[in-house]
Short mmCIF file of all heavy atoms in Angstrom, two decimals:
data_model
loop_
_atom_site.label_atom_id
_atom_site.label_comp_id
_atom_site.label_asym_id
_atom_site.label_seq_id
_atom_site.Cartn_x
_atom_site.Cartn_y
_atom_site.Cartn_z
N THR A 85 99.99 94.54 73.61
CA THR A 85 99.50 95.61 74.45
C THR A 85 100.49 96.74 74.82
O THR A 85 100.23 97.91 74.77
CB THR A 85 98.96 95.07 75.80
OG1 THR A 85 98.03 94.09 75.57
CG2 THR A 85 98.28 96.10 76.74
N SER A 86 101.69 96.31 75.07
CA SER A 86 102.79 97.29 75.15
C SER A 86 102.92 98.17 73.97
O SER A 86 103.24 99.34 74.02
CB SER A 86 104.09 96.62 75.50
OG SER A 86 105.15 97.49 75.61
N LEU A 89 100.19 100.81 73.80
CA LEU A 89 100.45 101.93 74.71
C LEU A 89 101.53 102.71 74.28
O LEU A 89 101.47 104.08 74.68
CB LEU A 89 100.79 101.37 76.06
CG LEU A 89 99.65 100.70 76.80
CD1 LEU A 89 100.15 100.02 78.15
CD2 LEU A 89 98.49 101.53 77.08
N TYR A 104 89.70 98.64 74.68
CA TYR A 104 90.49 97.47 74.54
C TYR A 104 91.12 97.04 75.92
O TYR A 104 91.04 95.91 76.35
CB TYR A 104 91.52 97.55 73.50
CG TYR A 104 92.62 96.52 73.65
CD1 TYR A 104 92.33 95.22 73.35
CD2 TYR A 104 93.96 96.86 73.92
CE1 TYR A 104 93.30 94.30 73.67
CE2 TYR A 104 94.87 96.00 74.23
CZ TYR A 104 94.62 94.69 74.01
OH TYR A 104 95.68 93.74 74.10
N LEU A 105 91.82 98.05 76.58
CA LEU A 105 92.36 97.83 77.87
C LEU A 105 91.37 97.29 78.86
O LEU A 105 91.67 96.52 79.65
CB LEU A 105 93.07 99.08 78.26
CG LEU A 105 94.27 99.64 77.31
CD1 LEU A 105 94.68 100.88 77.93
CD2 LEU A 105 95.29 98.57 77.26
N THR A 106 90.09 97.93 78.70
CA THR A 106 89.03 97.53 79.71
C THR A 106 88.85 96.08 79.57
O THR A 106 88.45 95.35 80.40
CB THR A 106 87.83 98.41 79.66
OG1 THR A 106 88.28 99.68 79.84
CG2 THR A 106 86.70 97.91 80.49
N VAL A 108 90.65 93.67 78.49
CA VAL A 108 91.67 92.89 78.98
C VAL A 108 91.61 92.77 80.52
O VAL A 108 91.62 91.75 81.10
CB VAL A 108 93.07 93.29 78.48
CG1 VAL A 108 94.19 92.50 79.27
CG2 VAL A 108 93.27 93.28 77.03
N LEU A 109 91.45 93.97 81.07
CA LEU A 109 91.33 93.97 82.62
C LEU A 109 90.15 93.26 83.15
O LEU A 109 90.16 92.63 84.18
CB LEU A 109 91.24 95.52 82.95
CG LEU A 109 92.51 96.33 82.72
CD1 LEU A 109 92.30 97.68 83.16
CD2 LEU A 109 93.71 95.79 83.57
N VAL A 112 90.59 89.45 83.23
CA VAL A 112 91.52 88.96 84.19
C VAL A 112 90.83 88.15 85.36
O VAL A 112 91.29 87.12 85.76
CB VAL A 112 92.37 90.11 84.85
CG1 VAL A 112 93.14 89.64 86.09
CG2 VAL A 112 93.35 90.73 83.76
N VAL A 125 98.32 87.90 84.24
CA VAL A 125 98.69 89.08 84.99
C VAL A 125 99.89 89.79 84.48
O VAL A 125 100.08 90.98 84.74
CB VAL A 125 99.04 88.43 86.49
CG1 VAL A 125 100.38 87.59 86.36
CG2 VAL A 125 99.25 89.59 87.44
N GLU A 126 100.68 89.14 83.54
CA GLU A 126 101.68 89.95 82.98
C GLU A 126 101.19 91.03 82.08
O GLU A 126 101.76 92.17 82.04
CB GLU A 126 102.55 88.94 82.18
CG GLU A 126 103.82 89.53 81.54
CD GLU A 126 104.82 90.09 82.43
OE1 GLU A 126 104.72 89.63 83.74
OE2 GLU A 126 105.69 90.89 82.11
N THR A 127 100.07 90.79 81.43
CA THR A 127 99.50 91.90 80.68
C THR A 127 98.79 93.02 81.60
O THR A 127 98.96 94.21 81.21
CB THR A 127 98.33 91.40 79.83
OG1 THR A 127 98.81 90.22 79.15
CG2 THR A 127 97.76 92.43 78.81
N VAL A 128 98.36 92.57 82.66
CA VAL A 128 97.84 93.63 83.71
C VAL A 128 99.05 94.39 84.15
O VAL A 128 98.95 95.65 84.24
CB VAL A 128 97.28 92.90 84.90
CG1 VAL A 128 96.90 93.85 85.98
CG2 VAL A 128 96.09 92.16 84.45
N ARG A 129 100.25 93.77 84.36
CA ARG A 129 101.41 94.60 84.80
C ARG A 129 101.80 95.57 83.69
O ARG A 129 102.12 96.81 84.08
CB ARG A 129 102.46 93.61 85.07
CG ARG A 129 103.89 94.40 85.57
CD ARG A 129 105.09 93.50 85.41
NE ARG A 129 105.32 93.10 84.09
CZ ARG A 129 106.06 93.78 83.19
NH1 ARG A 129 106.41 94.98 83.55
NH2 ARG A 129 106.31 93.48 81.94
N VAL A 130 101.72 95.24 82.50
CA VAL A 130 101.88 96.15 81.40
C VAL A 130 100.96 97.29 81.41
O VAL A 130 101.39 98.49 81.32
CB VAL A 130 102.01 95.38 80.01
CG1 VAL A 130 102.05 96.45 78.93
CG2 VAL A 130 103.09 94.47 79.97
N ILE A 131 99.70 97.08 81.61
CA ILE A 131 98.67 98.03 81.42
C ILE A 131 98.85 99.05 82.78
O ILE A 131 98.59 100.26 82.47
CB ILE A 131 97.33 97.44 81.46
CG1 ILE A 131 97.08 96.66 80.17
CG2 ILE A 131 96.17 98.63 81.50
CD1 ILE A 131 95.75 95.89 80.13
N LEU A 132 99.26 98.36 83.87
CA LEU A 132 99.28 99.34 84.95
C LEU A 132 100.61 99.86 85.23
O LEU A 132 100.98 100.37 86.38
CB LEU A 132 98.81 98.52 86.21
CG LEU A 132 97.37 97.96 86.20
CD1 LEU A 132 97.08 97.18 87.48
CD2 LEU A 132 96.39 99.08 86.02
N THR A 133 101.56 99.86 84.24
CA THR A 133 102.81 100.42 84.43
C THR A 133 102.83 101.81 83.65
O THR A 133 102.52 102.06 82.46
CB THR A 133 103.92 99.60 83.63
OG1 THR A 133 103.91 98.36 84.19
CG2 THR A 133 105.20 100.28 83.72
N ASP A 134 103.03 102.80 84.56
CA ASP A 134 103.06 104.31 84.03
C ASP A 134 104.41 104.58 83.45
O ASP A 134 105.14 105.38 84.09
CB ASP A 134 102.60 105.20 85.14
CG ASP A 134 102.32 106.68 84.61
OD1 ASP A 134 102.35 106.86 83.35
OD2 ASP A 134 102.30 107.56 85.33
N TYR A 138 105.22 104.90 77.28
CA TYR A 138 103.76 104.68 76.97
C TYR A 138 103.12 106.00 76.74
O TYR A 138 102.71 106.74 77.68
CB TYR A 138 103.17 103.94 78.12
CG TYR A 138 103.53 102.52 78.21
CD1 TYR A 138 103.15 101.78 79.42
CD2 TYR A 138 104.32 101.79 77.33
CE1 TYR A 138 103.54 100.50 79.49
CE2 TYR A 138 104.74 100.59 77.39
CZ TYR A 138 104.33 99.87 78.57
OH TYR A 138 104.78 98.59 78.75
N TYR A 141 99.80 107.25 78.16
CA TYR A 141 99.77 107.60 79.48
C TYR A 141 100.42 109.04 79.58
O TYR A 141 100.54 109.45 80.77
CB TYR A 141 100.33 106.66 80.49
CG TYR A 141 99.56 105.39 80.58
CD1 TYR A 141 100.24 104.24 80.89
CD2 TYR A 141 98.20 105.46 80.51
CE1 TYR A 141 99.40 103.04 81.18
CE2 TYR A 141 97.47 104.22 80.58
CZ TYR A 141 98.11 103.10 80.94
OH TYR A 141 97.36 101.88 81.18
N ASN A 219 94.23 108.84 81.74
CA ASN A 219 93.95 107.46 81.19
C ASN A 219 94.57 106.41 82.07
O ASN A 219 93.88 105.37 82.26
CB ASN A 219 94.74 107.30 79.81
CG ASN A 219 94.01 108.24 78.78
OD1 ASN A 219 92.85 108.52 78.89
ND2 ASN A 219 94.70 108.69 77.74
N TYR A 220 95.68 106.70 82.66
CA TYR A 220 96.31 105.61 83.57
C TYR A 220 95.36 105.50 84.82
O TYR A 220 95.02 104.35 85.29
CB TYR A 220 97.71 106.13 83.99
CG TYR A 220 98.33 105.24 84.94
CD1 TYR A 220 98.86 104.01 84.54
CD2 TYR A 220 98.51 105.58 86.29
CE1 TYR A 220 99.47 103.16 85.42
CE2 TYR A 220 99.11 104.77 87.17
CZ TYR A 220 99.62 103.44 86.71
OH TYR A 220 100.24 102.62 87.71
N ASN A 223 92.33 103.46 84.15
CA ASN A 223 92.60 101.99 84.06
C ASN A 223 92.76 101.43 85.37
O ASN A 223 92.28 100.26 85.70
CB ASN A 223 93.87 101.71 83.23
CG ASN A 223 93.73 101.90 81.69
OD1 ASN A 223 92.54 101.55 81.28
ND2 ASN A 223 94.63 102.24 81.02
N VAL A 224 93.54 102.07 86.27
CA VAL A 224 93.78 101.55 87.54
C VAL A 224 92.43 101.50 88.37
O VAL A 224 92.02 100.63 89.05
CB VAL A 224 94.65 102.48 88.47
CG1 VAL A 224 94.93 102.06 89.94
CG2 VAL A 224 96.04 102.52 87.76
#
Side-chain angles (χ1 to χ4, degrees):
T85 302
S86 177
L89 292 173
Y104 161 68
L105 299 177
T106 299
V108 177
L109 294 175
V112 169
V125 71
E126 185 63 18
T127 309
V128 177
R129 182 194 63 81
V130 171
I131 296 174
L132 300 185
T133 299
D134 189 11
Y138 291 168
Y141 292 151
N219 290 334
Y220 179 75
N223 284 330
V224 177

